[in-house]
Amino acid sequence: MVEELTKVFPGKRKRPDKRAVDGISFHVKRGEIFGLLGPNGAGKTTTIRMLSTMLIPTSGSAMVLGQDVTKDEVRIRRRINLVSGGERGLYYRLTGRQNLRFFSELYGIDPHIRDERIDRLLELVDLKESADLRVEDYSRGMKQRIHIARALVNDPEVLFLDEPTLGLDPEIARDIRALIRRMADQGTTILLTTHYMFEAEELCDRIAIISNGKLVAQGNALELKDSVNNATVIHVETRDDPFEAVDVLEDTEGVIHVNYDRVPGRFITRIQVEQSSDLLGDVNEVMRGLRVLRIGYDEPTLEDTYITLVSANEH
Amino acid sequence: MNIRVTYAAFRQQMTHFLTDPQWIIPSLIAPFMFTIVTLMIFKDVDGPIVLQAVLGGGVLGMWGNTLYSSGWSISYDRYNGTLEPLMVSPTNLMDVVTGRSIWNTLIGLSNAVLVFIFAELMFQTGVGLSDPLQFFFILVITLASLASIGLIFSAFFVLTRASSVLMSSLEFPIYVVSGAMFPISILPGWAIPISYILAPSWGVDAMKIAAIDGYTGIGPGILGSLGIMIGLTVLYIIMAKWFFRKIERNVRNHGTIGRF
Ligand SMILES: Nc1ncnc2c1ncn2[C@@H]1O[C@H](COP(=O)(O)OP(=O)(O)O)[C@@H](O)[C@H]1O
Ligand SMILES: [Mg+2]
């Protein structure tokens, strides 16, 4: 339960204050996977740090498991845990098992339960064989998995994951996503941040999109697509680089947003236009001479929606 | 204080140390050099000078360990990314650092013992303690005060964001001012008060009184020195608590520790 949550980092020396999170409100249900989606610098990490009691909100309020993140931090800390993406955050000279044991002790877990749980967690993250190797000898994916096991030593009711697949190889990222699913199936409430749209769509029951510290939309993937239902997409594939045409289109009346991508052998341009406008002819005109392979209307994907919402907020 | 957390941190530090025990060597160099040089200069003298050399070397080793191992304690976690999981747990950071600081102090003690054995083998100093039991008791309290200074160093260094620079620039002054190298009485006047606010100076003084026949010390005698040392140690612990609260506050308000 998050209400009007705001964080302003006081500016250092001559720099102005930074309003990293600006009055966001949302509610996460027990047992669901909730995603905070947004571009770099949107305020995702700051939000997740406030909810995990690592930062005190400047204003607004946030309750986790019925407790106030500002005042009841010790009580909350017993029942939550946090994983930040990246390789850091483990004692490299200790083994995987020693790391888990040390972190278990911080939660005062009964030794019987502790050892049993550690075995179970090692199994869950598929590190049983490597449990007694030093973490410095682990691969990238193994480190990320032991990280997650570390965050489960206190059997948290709510798990915060900050960009859990950041910088991982696609296959390893897939393993991690499967692991997140499994934890959710076991009843853990998960709040994760990501800037990968497809990851949010694949994993999350509900998604909140934030941009520039503000929440711009929330709901499940379908609801989000509907929320910008006044947009249609014109999909164009060309042989030649359309960068000049894109400049022209961006200034055209009725165009919401244009983005284009190079894929092997061609360029894909997606132009989001207001539903009422009929711009197919204009687009055809501008794209003439670029060896158009395909042109036509298309259903907006979640990615288009995301781009629309985020770019609308940036202006 | 949470004994379980402190003990877990003690074991963690021990495991860290045992995976790479050669790290003890750098912290042995200064005390060994000091002891050897002193003993070579005063080769033909016996009694007090020899003890001063051996004790001084031992204390040097203990100080060096406190400064470097404990001083680096939280900075290491910050650099290693483990500060975040420590802070997100319901544990008090100070309990963790206490466990590590106790281990580091024991390593410092083993430095001192190594210096002593070495001096004995090389120079056959044949030193004996006039009152071993008393000496041992003072030693334990001195170690406790060193461990509490370790807490202050670790918190202070991470707050000032200049761990390594501060550590190396403090090393020599501390060796001198703590009375390990020279008797405090020969220090320049301005340095004496600094020496007096360092609890282990009183411990070293009390140990010398206990160990060296005829040494009268800086004033208050064994019991007086012990009392002052215990008082200062309590003060250090209170200061450390305050520093640790400041760390938690900085992190939760600004997202970073160092604000000076
Ligand atoms: N400790 C801090 N002090 C000052 N500004 C910060 C701090 N942490 C983050 N910011 C700023 O707040 C904004 C949001 O950052 P962050 O929450 O990390 O975004 P995200 O995780 O979505 O990429 C950024 O502009 C960032 O530079
Ligand atoms: Mg982030």
Side-chain angles (χ1 to χ4, degrees):
Chain A
M1 171 83 92
V2 177
E3 266 191 69
E4 290 296 321
L5 193 62
T6 298
K7 180 74 193 180
V8 179
F9 290 110
K12 279 177 214 154
R13 295 188 192 99
K14 294 245 160 59
R15 273 182 283 152
D17 290 358
K18 171 79 204 174
R19 191 167 277 271
V21 173
D22 194 359
I24 66 175
S25 305
F26 59 87
H27 181 92
V28 181
K29 295 180 198 132
R30 282 278 176 119
E32 78 176 340
I33 304 184
F34 190 91
L36 284 176
L37 174 65
N40 279 331
K44 304 181 295 294
T45 299
T46 307
T47 304
I48 215 166
R49 294 184 137 260
M50 285 192 277
L51 296 181
S52 57
T53 76
M54 301 296 286
L55 278 176
I56 294 177
T58 309
S59 64
S61 74
M63 306 288 277
V64 174
L65 295 161
Q67 315 267 0
D68 187 326
V69 294
T70 307
K71 297 196 304 263
D72 306 323
E73 72 274 7
V74 176
R75 246 171 295 173
I76 293 177
R77 285 175 189 176
R78 279 187 232 287
R79 297 166 65 191
I80 63 160
N81 219 318
L82 165 70
V83 182
S84 295
E87 289 186 67
R88 297 159 74 246
L90 295 158
Y91 295 105
Y92 288 150
R93 275 154 69 182
L94 304 188
T95 67
R97 192 190 300 278
Q98 284 166 341
N99 268 284
L100 296 186
R101 206 175 275 161
F102 174 69
F103 284 106
S104 297
E105 289 300 289
L106 299 185
Y107 291 86
I109 292 156
D110 182 74
H112 289 296
I113 300 178
R114 177 195 68 197
D115 293 341
E116 214 172 285
R117 188 179 288 164
I118 288 174
D119 280 334
R120 192 168 48 73
L121 289 176
L122 286 166
E123 197 140 6
L124 177 77
V125 299
D126 201 14
L127 284 173
K128 226 172 169 147
E129 271 84 77
S130 335
D132 299 309
L133 292 180
R134 285 201 219 164
V135 171
E136 63 193 348
D137 298 325
Y138 281 15
S139 69
R140 192 73 204 270
M142 287 159 80
K143 280 179 193 153
Q144 192 65 3
R145 296 206 305 271
I146 197 80
H147 249 307
I148 291 180
R150 192 225 78 222
L152 294 173
V153 293
N154 60 326
D155 200 13
E157 291 162 67
V158 180
L159 186 61
F160 296 97
L161 302 167
D162 193 9
E163 311 244 11
T165 61
L166 187 69
L168 295 179
D169 292 341
E171 309 94 80
I172 301 173
R174 202 174 334 108
D175 288 351
I176 297 292
R177 282 197 291 274
L179 183 58
I180 295 170
R181 264 258 153 266
R182 236 175 300 155
M183 292 185 293
D185 290 342
Q186 292 174 5
T188 313
T189 305
I190 293 171
L191 192 145
L192 64 84
T193 74
T194 179
H195 65 266
Y196 302 122
M197 203 279 321
F198 74 93
E199 184 165 275
E201 186 171 19
E202 184 187 316
L203 270 178
C204 300
D205 300 311
R206 285 188 314 130
I207 301 165
I209 297 181
I210 53 176
S211 166
N212 269 334
K214 291 205 167 66
L215 196 141
V216 293
Q218 62 173 314
N220 62 33
L222 279 176
E223 289 163 355
L224 287 176
K225 280 183 220 175
D226 282 351
S227 72
V228 269
N229 58 2
N230 61 340
T232 304
V233 174
I234 299 175
H235 179 106
V236 190
E237 292 180 20
T238 53
R239 195 62 90 199
D240 298 327
D241 193 335
F243 67 97
E244 281 173 344
V246 167
D247 277 350
V248 174
L249 285 168
E250 273 175 343
D251 295 330
T252 305
E253 178 78 28
V255 171
I256 300 165
H257 189 76
V258 186
N259 76 307
Y260 76 107
D261 243 339
R262 166 182 225 140
V263 295
R266 66 219 141 96
F267 292 86
I268 296 180
T269 310
R270 288 179 74 83
I271 308 139
Q272 292 173 61
V273 297
E274 282 161 21
Q275 200 139 51
S276 51
S277 61
D278 183 13
L279 288 172
L280 196 56
D282 300 64
V283 173
N284 227 329
E285 181 70 29
V286 176
M287 292 282 182
R288 199 204 310 270
L290 296 174
R291 290 188 280 167
V292 176
L293 303 168
R294 217 191 108 192
I295 185 163
Y297 282 109
D298 198 0
E299 280 292 300
T301 62
L302 187 58
E303 170 117 38
D304 297 321
T305 308
Y306 172 59
I307 291 167
T308 311
L309 288 167
V310 167
S311 60
N313 186 254
E314 266 161 9
H315 300 143
Chain B
M1 192 169 112
N2 184 328
I3 299 289
R4 251 185 92 179
V5 169
T6 301
Y7 178 63
F10 175 87
R11 289 211 23 195
Q12 177 216 23
Q13 190 72 0
M14 179 177 78
T15 316
H16 248 239
F17 178 83
L18 293 178
T19 54
D20 244 338
Q22 86 248 22
W23 282 111
I24 199 172
I25 294 171
S27 61
L28 276 172
I29 292 174
F32 267 89
M33 292 303 284
F34 173 80
T35 305
I36 292 170
V37 170
T38 316
L39 287 177
M40 289 209 298
I41 294 174
F42 298 102
K43 208 163 159 178
D44 303 322
V45 193
D46 57 4
I49 288 291
V50 174
L51 254 169
Q52 163 80 30
V54 177
L55 253 174
V59 172
L60 234 55
M62 296 199 286
W63 262 114
N65 248 286
T66 303
L67 187 60
Y68 283 100
S69 306
S70 298
W72 186 236
S73 193
I74 310 177
S75 303
Y76 171 78
D77 279 298
R78 176 153 76 159
Y79 151 89
N80 197 38
T82 33
L83 191 59
E84 181 177 276
L86 287 180
M87 305 250 347
V88 92
S89 80
T91 298
N92 197 330
L93 195 56
M94 184 156 150
D95 293 341
V96 173
V97 179
T98 301
R100 294 180 185 165
S101 197
I102 292 173
W103 169 262
N104 295 333
T105 308
L106 291 185
I107 289 298
L109 175 65
S110 75
N111 275 8
V113 172
L114 284 175
V115 168
F116 180 79
I117 293 172
F118 171 81
E120 198 52 39
L121 292 178
M122 254 189 83
F123 297 95
Q124 273 99 41
T125 53
V127 290
L129 297 174
S130 44
D131 190 342
L133 196 70
Q134 196 176 39
F135 182 87
F136 181 75
F137 180 71
I138 302 165
L139 181 66
V140 170
I141 310 267
T142 308
L143 291 173
S145 77
L146 274 167
S148 68
I149 290 181
L151 294 180
I152 294 187
F153 281 161
S154 71
F156 182 69
F157 291 166
V158 81
L159 279 166
T160 53
R161 292 207 239 200
S163 308
S164 44
V165 178
L166 269 176
M167 257 183 243
S168 15
S169 53
L170 275 179
E171 180 175 3
F172 192 69
I174 275 190
Y175 289 167
V176 174
V177 156
S178 64
M181 282 188 161
F182 315 106
I184 293 170
S185 51
I186 69 160
L187 294 179
W190 57 266
I192 293 178
I194 303 176
S195 175
Y196 285 177
I197 58 168
L198 292 175
S201 310
W202 299 96
V204 173
D205 189 59
M207 277 191 268
K208 283 183 188 164
I209 302 176
I212 302 169
D213 279 331
Y215 179 82
T216 49
I218 38 183
I222 288 190
L223 283 182
S225 289
L226 261 181
I228 293 172
M229 176 162 63
I230 292 171
L232 283 172
T233 303
V234 171
L235 199 71
Y236 292 166
I237 293 172
I238 294 168
M239 262 172 75
K241 266 204 148 69
W242 183 80
F243 273 133
F244 276 89
R245 227 173 280 144
K246 176 116 188 112
I247 289 177
E248 165 107 13
R249 252 201 326 265
N250 277 2
V251 169
R252 291 191 76 203
N253 282 321
H254 310 295
T256 55
I257 298 180
R259 292 282 294 174
F260 289 130

